[in-house]
Amino acid sequence: MRRNLRTLGGVALVAVLAVAAAACQDSGSDSGSGSGEKCGGKLAIFGAFSGGNSGLVLPSRDAAKLAVEKFNAANSDCKVELVEFDTEGDPAKATPVASQVAGDQSFLGVIGGHFSGETRATAPTYEQAGLAMVAPSATATDLSTKGWKVFHRVVGNDDSQGPAAAKYMKDVWKSTKIFVVDDGTAYGAALAAKVSSTIGTPIGSDKVQEKQTNFSSTVGKVKNSGADAVFYGGYTNEAAPFLKQLRAAGVTAKFIGGDGINDPAFPTGAGASESEGAVVTCPCLPGDKSKGSFQSDFKAKYGAAPGVYAAEGWDATTIFLDAFKAGKNTRKDILDFVSAYDKDGVTKRIKFDDKGEITASNLVIWAYVVKGGQIVADQEVK
């Protein structure tokens, strides 16, 4: 008799566990969770959330927060926590963050890096921990050549952006005398080098430095070269005063830069009249071109249209949210899920090759132009 009671107790326990598992599978609205014992988890997001270049990153972070908020509202039994780490885009500040996140087993995925330098500095730590990372805006080409299995990005790299910038200068502006400048960073130098190799031989080139404020030497070189176009590889913090000083010196050459200056602070810092007509290339989709309700949801939450890389931040985050919905709750299972991901995002079809790059047929490069002190979409560059 007592033996039979134990058997019945075991049956009852199995039934309880089955109900609990089913609750995770059916949690929320169309959660589609798998059979894991725990549904949901914790994500880290890191980048320049403050500092002179934060305007390039904050829209992505805000979109990630919105994606998690909406997911949690629809999946009450499958909660996701998003923890922010402000690195100011500095590799030296991002490195200890990576150690902290990798050492905390409760973190199951990483959204970032947003800049190439901090991504390069932290990826080895995440690789050792087997912690999947999805970058919304890190574009340096070499990031996918290091053999890191954890690295993925939802944007094209600078091998696609550089030729697009060169094509714009040649085909749209009809420029024949192009001067190339870069800031010496992992991002800026590589992008400028790709532009230079695409156009052939620039009429001149020069390097500046991060946190530089006086650009008189480079301005003089540009002016003496007779350039009709200037390409700048780097970030807003230096690009804005550089352009301002170019115009003050009477240089009228057209100005174009990569996605590192696709930031409201660029025309503000350079001056509305000085930056008028400046062009920015970006492997990012204009917010009003995004699919579904993303644009209206973002505007309803934040009171403004989504900025640069906002939609890409949403896509990067959604990949992890879909992993949780599928019942993945270990670092290995989530890494495998991310690497095999193949689904429409709000910006493009998200499918990675074996290096973590978006498949070439799905790449998007746009040119943006400064008009009236605002950066607005100009045209897609095929």
Side-chain angles (χ1 to χ4, degrees):
M1 183 71 169
R2 294 172 66 181
R3 187 174 185 177
N4 290 340
L5 285 173
R6 284 197 298 270
T7 302
L8 290 171
V11 172
L13 177 60
V14 170
V16 169
L17 292 175
V19 170
C24 184
Q25 290 179 23
D26 297 329
S27 60
S29 173
D30 190 28
S31 68
S33 298
S35 58
E37 295 178 0
K38 179 183 178 183
C39 195
K42 188 158 71 171
L43 298 174
I45 182 169
F46 73 100
F49 303 147
S50 66
N53 297 315
S54 60
L56 186 63
V57 178
L58 291 175
S60 174
R61 182 207 61 180
D62 290 345
K65 291 169 65 175
L66 177 60
V68 171
E69 178 184 298
K70 290 180 72 66
F71 178 88
N72 284 337
N75 297 273
S76 59
D77 295 324
C78 195
K79 292 295 185 182
V80 175
E81 180 182 0
L82 182 67
V83 182
E84 301 175 32
F85 295 91
D86 182 7
T87 64
E88 297 179 34
D90 184 344
K93 294 181 179 180
T95 302
V97 166
S99 297
Q100 177 184 346
V101 172
D104 184 342
Q105 293 299 314
S106 67
F107 283 105
L108 299 179
V110 179
I111 303 163
H114 285 81
F115 290 171
S116 296
E118 64 179 359
T119 305
R120 185 181 290 108
T122 58
T125 300
Y126 293 127
E127 176 74 13
Q128 187 175 12
L131 196 54
M133 52 193 309
V134 180
S137 57
T139 59
T141 302
D142 73 304
L143 295 175
S144 62
T145 68
K146 308 291 188 181
W148 297 321
K149 299 300 183 184
V150 299
F151 174 76
H152 308 79
R153 57 179 152 205
V154 295
V155 294
N157 62 40
D158 291 336
D159 274 359
S160 58
Q161 185 179 187
K167 179 180 176 64
Y168 191 95
M169 286 186 283
K170 285 188 171 184
D171 293 354
V172 179
W173 285 348
K174 309 298 182 185
S175 297
T176 58
K177 296 181 288 184
I178 300 170
F179 199 103
V180 177
V181 181
D182 74 75
D183 66 354
T185 64
Y187 157 73
L191 178 57
K194 190 63 181 180
V195 170
S196 295
S197 65
T198 304
I199 63 177
T201 304
I203 197 171
S205 63
D206 201 18
K207 287 187 178 291
V208 298
Q209 297 178 349
E210 287 186 283
K211 299 182 180 179
Q212 184 172 332
T213 57
N214 187 326
F215 299 92
S216 57
S217 176
T218 302
V219 168
K221 292 176 183 179
V222 174
K223 187 171 185 177
N224 292 334
S225 73
D228 60 10
V230 176
F231 177 84
Y232 184 83
Y235 294 103
T236 294
N237 208 45
E238 293 74 39
F242 173 51
L243 176 55
K244 191 177 188 71
Q245 291 171 39
L246 278 175
R247 297 298 183 240
V251 176
T252 59
K254 294 180 173 66
F255 189 91
I256 184 172
D259 59 310
I261 66 173
N262 194 353
D263 176 347
F266 170 64
T268 300
S273 61
E274 292 87 344
S275 62
E276 184 72 15
V279 169
V280 179
T281 58
C282 187
C284 56
L285 194 72
D288 62 355
K289 304 294 183 184
S290 59
K291 300 174 184 175
S293 63
F294 169 72
Q295 183 183 19
S296 58
D297 289 344
F298 190 97
K299 191 169 184 178
K301 173 66 177 179
Y302 298 109
V308 58
Y309 285 124
E312 284 76 14
W314 174 279
D315 278 348
T317 307
T318 298
I319 295 170
F320 287 115
L321 298 179
D322 284 348
F324 292 134
K325 287 166 64 176
K328 310 304 179 184
N329 54 35
T330 69
R331 289 182 175 182
K332 181 183 183 304
D333 285 349
I334 286 178
L335 175 56
D336 290 344
F337 182 93
V338 171
S339 298
Y341 198 79
D342 186 2
K343 188 175 178 181
D344 284 332
V346 300
T347 64
K348 61 181 74 68
R349 183 78 180 184
I350 308 295
K351 182 178 182 180
F352 302 110
D353 65 17
D354 59 0
K355 294 181 178 180
E357 298 277 17
I358 287 290
T359 52
S361 60
N362 296 329
L363 293 180
V364 176
I365 307 290
W366 270 76
Y368 298 76
V369 63
V370 178
K371 291 183 178 180
Q374 303 293 319
I375 300 176
V376 298
D378 179 28
Q379 59 184 274
E380 184 175 0
V381 185
K382 297 292 186 180

